[in-house]
């Protein structure tokens, strides 16, 4: 745990250096831009709300990808899973009879979304469990197929004429925004989905240690051969982890379709799948860690918009990659030192 | 023209060759890296970085050759980072690949905005302008232009060089030894880490050639223009059993599906989106085939393994 914390700090330091270098290379003052970044994010109530809004999909995909990662699987297909699920949620949500109570509408729509996300992850899961196909390749392919499939479905008449968006949701299928409870967040898109996401992250983090399923999934990730010898159904656990990961990705629609737009349009939520990878690789099986990582990358995303007038916001994607690389690098270094020390003590 | 005539036309052949070049280069990159024992999903990012470099240098110098050369250097440099992180620092190869792909995707858009004030595409470039004389039909002249394109020729050369170096030279033997059993290679005095880093870098340079081909073919760089090709090429590598010539042939098959998309775009019987799915669905299908025919292609035994703590 301490080593992990050290690695994270190294990663953040590297990210800061990269930020300064890139901003300076672009011909702006890093200190001024950092000031702008803070002003546009945590500086105001609205900015804070927007950070939380951006962090919600990242948190949900982060939890989802982390779950697969515990089992040793890289779910790079979050992008496609959440897109397909969002479309499914919007299609069902918009066809509910007007006046359906939120008590039925919300669970139904979320269930559909989770089901669709899980279904999209089913293909890589089966390919992996049955045929040993590497999930990195198959999930990427499923992302591409999702893009085309969504275009196809929207083109078949599920989109409003001349647009790439679906009809609006029935009133009962909306997730309420937080501004209804905290008036100072007025205007920002953050919704109750954030609260649900935090609860889910803490629950999933807890279940790795405290439930049989979670324990088995993380043990399979550590040593599948030993787990097989202990009669844990390894392939089945791998498939379950990936499908469950897809289902959680489907819940991203609660923040985007149900909590913000009120309909699905092509590209809604895009990018959260890859941002979630960064969150998962930083949070690593720890609920609180996942929440903090989502806040960090949410801040970077919102901050990117705040500084876009001075420095291209694409800078933040680079920073995201730098954070992952340097955390992984620091982690490997720390591990090497620990190994060497252990060898010195016992060898 | 009937469906069959469309599929068997000269246009189709020309488009297939044209689309095969980036795939084949990326696959050669994958073969080099993975035969050395380093899993490389950073091919996707390598294509992007080298594609943008090719265009940027072409715009700056006005020379397509300089652009292609710069792309090769950029591809090698990008892969070098992956090689150092994985072989030397022992970072998980998938994590490193994911991170580098993110850096490449964001970085290319950042540089596009910085240089050309657009995050989606660069100004257009000429590429290698090959003139085909005579009164050839449009389809035939496209085929001739593609076949005589320096990048196509270089791809063939790169395949031959890979084949010769990997199987007929001492260095190639060392690369394969590091990929099969790093511990044994190390015991025999092979410097595993430098050999692996070099193999990944050589692969990156070949992949860089593919990035240049991709960008010059479109006469500009578009953000995200690699479109999963790095991953499809990796599937081709696995399908081929990590053998260079078979990998290139598998790439030609995937390219044919891409070409089908171009050839069929004027017809209305099959929706465009369905045709778009072909290469990706075919990749999934090939993964199933790989799973069913275990033993036809065995991965290098040392893939992803390191020597014991030195």
């Amino acid at each position: 745990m301490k080593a992990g914390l050290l690695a994270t700090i190294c990663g953040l330091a590297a990210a800061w250096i990269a930020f300064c270098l890139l901003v300076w290379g672009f011909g702006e003052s890093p200190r001024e831009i950092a000031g702008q970044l803070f002003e546009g994010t945590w500086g105001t109530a609205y900015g804070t709300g927007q950070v939380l809004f951006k962090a919600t999909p990242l948190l949900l995909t982060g939890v989802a990808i982390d779950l697969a990662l515990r089992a040793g699987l890289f779910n790079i297909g979050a992008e496609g899973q959440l897109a397909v699920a969002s479309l499914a949620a919007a299609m069902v949500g918009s066809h509910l009879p007007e006046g359906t109570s939120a008590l039925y509408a919300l669970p139904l729509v979320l269930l559909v979304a989770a089901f669709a996300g899980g279904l999209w992850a089913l293909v890589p899961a089966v390919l992996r469990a049955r045929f040993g196909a590497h999930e990195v390749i198959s999930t990427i392919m499923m992302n591409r197929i999702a893009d085309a499939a969504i275009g196809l479905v929207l083109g078949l008449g599920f989109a409003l004429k001349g647009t790439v968006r679906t009809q609006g949701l029935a009133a009962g299928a909306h997730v309420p925004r937080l501004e209804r409870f905290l008036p100072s967040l007025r205007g920002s898109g953050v919704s109750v989905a954030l609260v649900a996401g935090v609860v889910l992250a803490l629950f999933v983090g807890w279940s790795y240690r405290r439930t049989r399923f979670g324990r088995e999934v993380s043990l399979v990730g550590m040593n599948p051969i030993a787990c097989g010898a202990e009669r844990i159904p390894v392939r089945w656990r791998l498939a379950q982890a990936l499908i469950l990961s897809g289902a959680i990705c489907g819940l991203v629609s609660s923040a985007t379709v149900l909590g913000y737009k009120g309909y699905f349009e092509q590209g809604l939520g895009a990018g959260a799948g890859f941002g979630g990878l960064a969150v998962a690789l930083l949070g690593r099986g720890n609920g609180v860690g996942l929440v903090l990582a989502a806040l960090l990358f949410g801040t970077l995303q919102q901050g990117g918009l705040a500084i876009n007038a001075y420095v291209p916001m694409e800078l933040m994607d680079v920073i995201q990659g730098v954070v992952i690389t340097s955390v992984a690098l620091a982690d490997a270094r720390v591990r090497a030192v620990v190994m060497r020390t252990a060898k010195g003590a016992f060898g | 023209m009937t469906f069959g005539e469309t599929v068997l036309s000269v246009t189709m052949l020309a488009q297939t060759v044209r689309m095969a070049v980036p795939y084949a280069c990326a696959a050669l990159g994958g073969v080099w890296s993975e035969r050395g024992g380093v899993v490389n999903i950073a091919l996707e990012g390598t294509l992007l970085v080298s594609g943008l470099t090719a265009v940027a240098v072409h715009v700056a110098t006005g020379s397509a050759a300089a652009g292609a050369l710069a792309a090769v250097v950029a591809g090698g440099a990008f892969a070098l980072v992956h090689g150092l992180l994985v072989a030397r620092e022992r970072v998980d190869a998938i994590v490193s690949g994911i991170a580098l792909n993110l850096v490449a995707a964001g970085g290319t858009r950042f540089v596009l905005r910085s240089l050309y004030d657009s995050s989606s595409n660069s100004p257009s470039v000429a590429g290698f302008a090959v003139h085909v004389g005579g009164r050839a039909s449009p389809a035939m002249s496209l085929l001739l232009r593609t076949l005589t394109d320096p990048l196509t020729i270089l791809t063939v050369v790169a395949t031959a060089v890979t084949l010769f170096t990997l199987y007929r030279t001492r260095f190639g033997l060392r690369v394969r030894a590091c990929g099969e059993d790093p511990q044994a290679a190390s015991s025999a005095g092979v410097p595993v880490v430098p050999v692996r880093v070099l193999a990944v870098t050589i692969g990156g340079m070949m992949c860089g050639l593919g990035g240049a081909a991709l960008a010059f073919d479109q006469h500009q760089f578009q953000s995200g223009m690699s479109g999963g090709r790095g991953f499809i090429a990796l599937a081709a590598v696995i399908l081929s059993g990590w053998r260079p010539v078979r990998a290139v042939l598998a790439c030609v098959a995937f390219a044919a599906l891409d070409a089908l998309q171009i050839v069929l775009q004027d017809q209305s019987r099959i929706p465009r989106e369905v045709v778009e799915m072909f290469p990706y669905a075919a990749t999934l299908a090939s993964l199933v085939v790989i799973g069913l025919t275990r033993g036809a292609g065995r991965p290098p035994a040392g893939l992803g393994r390191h020597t014991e703590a030195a």
Side-chain angles (χ1 to χ4, degrees), chain B residues 34-125:
Chain B
E34 304 218 334
R35 266 333 253 287
V38 177
V39 176
N40 194 347
I41 65 164
L43 293 173
E44 185 78 7
T46 312
L47 282 176
L48 282 178
V49 168
S50 53
L52 177 60
T53 309
V55 170
V57 172
H58 190 342
V59 168
T61 62
S63 154
L69 187 66
V72 170
V73 173
F78 192 75
L80 175 67
V81 176
H82 182 66
L84 286 174
L85 281 173
V86 177
R88 186 163 180 275
E89 301 294 339
R90 304 189 176 195
V91 170
D92 185 292
I94 305 283
V95 173
S96 167
I98 290 173
L100 287 176
N101 283 341
L102 280 178
V103 170
T108 46
R109 272 181 288 133
F110 179 75
V111 172
L112 270 182
R113 277 276 303 270
S114 313
L115 290 179
Y116 311 118
D117 209 26
S118 151
S119 64
S120 61
N121 58 273
S122 72
S124 62
V125 294

Side-chain angles (χ1 to χ4, degrees), chain A residues 57-145:
Chain A
L58 295 177
L59 177 59
L60 286 165
T61 49
V63 171
I65 293 167
D66 184 66
L67 176 64
L69 201 55
R70 285 313 102 201
L73 299 171
F74 289 88
N75 181 12
I76 310 195
E79 198 80 7
Q81 289 148 15
L82 74 90
V84 169
S86 300
L87 174 65
M91 276 164 64
V92 171
S94 61
H95 284 85
L96 289 173
E98 206 48 56
T100 312
S101 152
L103 213 56
Y104 305 115
L106 261 184
L108 175 71
V109 172
L110 286 175
L111 211 62
V112 167
F115 184 77
L119 200 65
W120 212 250
L122 179 70
V123 178
V126 169
L127 285 179
R128 169 70 198 225
R130 178 73 188 76
F131 302 105
H134 204 294
E135 73 284 354
V136 166
I137 297 178
S138 58
T139 49
I140 284 273
M141 295 304 121
M142 289 304 283
N143 285 347
R144 296 274 154 188
I145 293 175

Side-chain angles (χ1 to χ4, degrees), chain A residues 22 26 74 76 123 127 130-134 136-138 140-142 144-145 148-149 151-152 274 277-278 281 308 311-315 317-318 320-322 324-325 328-329 332-333 335 339-340 343, chain B residues 41 44 85 88-92 94-95 98-100 102-103 106-107 109-110 113-114 119 224 227-228 231-232 234-235 238 271 273-274 276-277 279-281 283-284 287-288 290-292 294 309-310:
Chain A
L22 285 169
F26 198 74
F74 289 88
I76 310 195
V123 178
L127 285 179
R130 178 73 188 76
F131 302 105
H134 204 294
V136 166
I137 297 178
S138 58
I140 284 273
M141 295 304 121
M142 289 304 283
R144 296 274 154 188
I145 293 175
L152 187 67
F274 292 110
L277 276 168
L281 289 172
N308 197 27
V311 181
M313 63 181 180
E314 285 78 9
L315 171 71
D317 296 333
V318 182
Q320 213 171 44
V322 170
I324 306 179
T325 318
L329 179 59
R333 282 258 162 115
R335 222 177 323 123
M339 287 276 277
R340 222 172 293 146
K343 269 208 162 172
Chain B
I41 65 164
E44 185 78 7
L85 281 173
R88 186 163 180 275
E89 301 294 339
R90 304 189 176 195
V91 170
D92 185 292
I94 305 283
V95 173
I98 290 173
L100 287 176
L102 280 178
V103 170
R109 272 181 288 133
F110 179 75
R113 277 276 303 270
S114 313
S119 64
F231 291 98
I232 295 183
L234 208 52
I238 299 171
E273 287 89 354
V274 174
E276 267 172 28
M277 289 180 200
Y280 310 118
T283 307
L284 290 178
L287 291 176
V288 172
I290 295 162
L292 288 174
R294 285 268 148 220

Side-chain angles (χ1 to χ4, degrees), chain B residues 136-148:
Chain B
S137 67
M140 195 48 105
S141 75
L142 175 67
L143 181 64
L144 288 176
R145 249 185 298 139
T146 311
L147 288 178
T148 52

Side-chain angles (χ1 to χ4, degrees), chain B residues 6-306:
Chain B
T6 313
V7 171
L8 295 175
S9 61
V10 176
T11 317
M12 176 74 188
L13 181 63
Q15 295 288 6
T16 302
V17 175
R18 194 185 129 225
M19 303 308 290
V21 170
Y23 282 123
C25 292
L28 289 175
V31 168
W32 269 103
S33 177
E34 304 218 334
R35 266 333 253 287
V38 177
V39 176
N40 194 347
I41 65 164
L43 293 173
E44 185 78 7
T46 312
L47 282 176
L48 282 178
V49 168
S50 53
L52 177 60
T53 309
V55 170
V57 172
H58 190 342
V59 168
T61 62
S63 154
L69 187 66
V72 170
V73 173
F78 192 75
L80 175 67
V81 176
H82 182 66
L84 286 174
L85 281 173
V86 177
R88 186 163 180 275
E89 301 294 339
R90 304 189 176 195
V91 170
D92 185 292
I94 305 283
V95 173
S96 167
I98 290 173
L100 287 176
N101 283 341
L102 280 178
V103 170
T108 46
R109 272 181 288 133
F110 179 75
V111 172
L112 270 182
R113 277 276 303 270
S114 313
L115 290 179
Y116 311 118
D117 209 26
S118 151
S119 64
S120 61
N121 58 273
S122 72
S124 62
V125 294
F128 288 102
V130 184
H131 293 288
V132 182
R135 295 178 300 276
S137 67
M140 195 48 105
S141 75
L142 175 67
L143 181 64
L144 288 176
R145 249 185 298 139
T146 311
L147 288 178
T148 52
D149 188 294
L151 290 172
T152 311
I153 295 168
L154 280 174
T155 306
V156 176
V157 172
T159 312
V161 166
T162 301
L163 193 64
F164 179 78
T165 318
L166 266 184
Y167 294 103
R168 290 280 180 272
T169 66
R170 183 195 301 239
F171 174 67
L173 181 63
R174 288 183 162 186
V175 169
R176 286 183 293 132
C178 292
E180 286 299 330
D181 192 336
Q183 193 66 48
S186 173
S187 313
V190 176
V192 174
V193 170
V195 166
R196 281 184 159 175
V197 171
L198 195 55
V200 176
T201 308
I202 293 172
M205 290 165 76
M206 293 189 173
C207 190
L209 206 58
L214 198 61
F216 284 175
D217 181 64
Q218 298 291 318
H219 295 290
Q220 63 170 326
F221 179 82
Q222 297 152 359
S223 74
M225 76 185 303
S226 51
R229 283 185 176 82
F231 291 98
I232 295 183
L234 208 52
V237 171
I238 299 171
L239 190 63
S240 73
W242 288 265
R243 281 169 286 211
V245 175
R246 291 189 194 192
V248 170
L249 291 178
C251 285
V252 173
F254 283 119
L257 292 167
D258 261 358
L260 205 57
Q261 196 177 315
I262 299 167
V263 177
L264 291 181
Q265 68 187 355
D266 301 326
Q267 56 83 46
S268 54
R269 229 179 322 158
I270 312 172
R272 184 176 51 85
E273 287 89 354
V274 174
V275 184
E276 267 172 28
M277 289 180 200
F278 283 174
Y280 310 118
T283 307
L284 290 178
S286 70
L287 291 176
V288 172
V289 172
I290 295 162
L292 288 174
T293 56
R294 285 268 148 220
R298 186 183 54 81
L303 194 57
R305 278 181 28 218
H306 297 287

Side-chain angles (χ1 to χ4, degrees), chain A residues 81-228:
Chain A
Q81 289 148 15
L82 74 90
V84 169
S86 300
L87 174 65
M91 276 164 64
V92 171
S94 61
H95 284 85
L96 289 173
E98 206 48 56
T100 312
S101 152
L103 213 56
Y104 305 115
L106 261 184
L108 175 71
V109 172
L110 286 175
L111 211 62
V112 167
F115 184 77
L119 200 65
W120 212 250
L122 179 70
V123 178
V126 169
L127 285 179
R128 169 70 198 225
R130 178 73 188 76
F131 302 105
H134 204 294
E135 73 284 354
V136 166
I137 297 178
S138 58
T139 49
I140 284 273
M141 295 304 121
M142 289 304 283
N143 285 347
R144 296 274 154 188
I145 293 175
D147 278 347
I150 287 168
L152 187 67
V153 170
L154 288 176
L156 286 177
F158 286 96
L160 297 178
K161 274 258 177 304
T163 66
V164 287
R165 54 158 286 195
T166 63
Q167 283 176 308
L169 298 172
H174 284 272
V175 169
R177 292 203 189 174
L178 279 185
E179 65 185 7
R180 269 175 53 185
F181 313 105
L182 296 167
S184 57
L185 292 177
R186 188 164 305 282
S188 77
V190 61
S191 66
V192 176
L194 172 72
V195 182
V198 171
V199 172
L200 185 70
L202 297 177
F203 172 75
V204 170
W206 170 84
S207 68
Y208 292 141
R209 283 171 284 119
R210 290 279 179 257
T211 66
R212 181 181 180 140
F213 176 75
R215 195 82 194 130
E216 286 190 357
V217 162
S218 37
L219 287 175
V220 164
M222 286 175 200
N223 190 339
I225 298 169
C227 287

